[in-house]
Amino acid sequence: MIAPTSDVRAETYFRDGNQCASCGTHALLTFQHRGAVGMGGSKIMPLVVEGLTLCLECNDRTERDLQTKALLHGWKVRRWVQQQGRCQDVPVFYAHLGVWFRLDDFERIRITEADALAMMHAVYGRVEYEKWGLAA
């Protein structure tokens, strides 16, 4: 697994307001790889758009019991999405704000829930995405 550079980590934290995208805490922040990096994951240095700021607890939970919720909210993306370089096509729900954003390099652009849903359907398909909603 390739760790983000200190610049990528700092720029990701800055973009995300130096707080966890899930719970909003400012403590124990970590760089969450949105795409899979373990068990033979990417050997390419991650970009800011491929990362997200999560606290240690929320990051751990996205890898354990919140995997479906993490996909539903764009905190994680399917491996093939990352391999196709389409992380920016998957919006992110900042739960502590109750707002969806499209990530574009070093900034987050607020979008409507309808726009986020359309983006998720365009990437994953309506059936797959709605299945996650039922499971989460």
Side-chain angles (χ1 to χ4, degrees), residues 52-125:
L52 191 66
T53 305
L54 292 179
C55 70
L56 193 59
E57 181 178 347
C58 290
N59 192 340
D60 183 51
R61 291 193 67 202
T62 63
E63 302 297 338
R64 289 184 299 114
D65 60 314
L66 294 180
Q67 288 186 16
T68 301
K69 184 177 181 181
L71 286 168
L72 188 69
H73 289 165
W75 302 336
K76 296 293 273 181
V77 298
R78 291 283 192 210
R79 184 182 303 267
W80 62 265
V81 172
Q82 180 181 15
Q83 289 171 340
Q84 291 178 359
R86 296 186 62 196
C87 283
Q88 74 280 358
D89 295 341
V90 177
V92 176
F93 184 68
Y94 287 73
H96 67 285
L97 299 173
V99 177
W100 283 93
F101 289 94
R102 178 176 60 82
L103 303 182
D104 184 34
D105 291 327
F106 305 110
E107 64 181 326
R108 56 185 188 181
I109 301 156
R110 189 175 183 158
I111 60 174
T112 66
E113 186 174 347
D115 287 340
L117 186 62
M119 289 176 74
M120 288 294 208
H121 287 178
V123 173
Y124 294 115

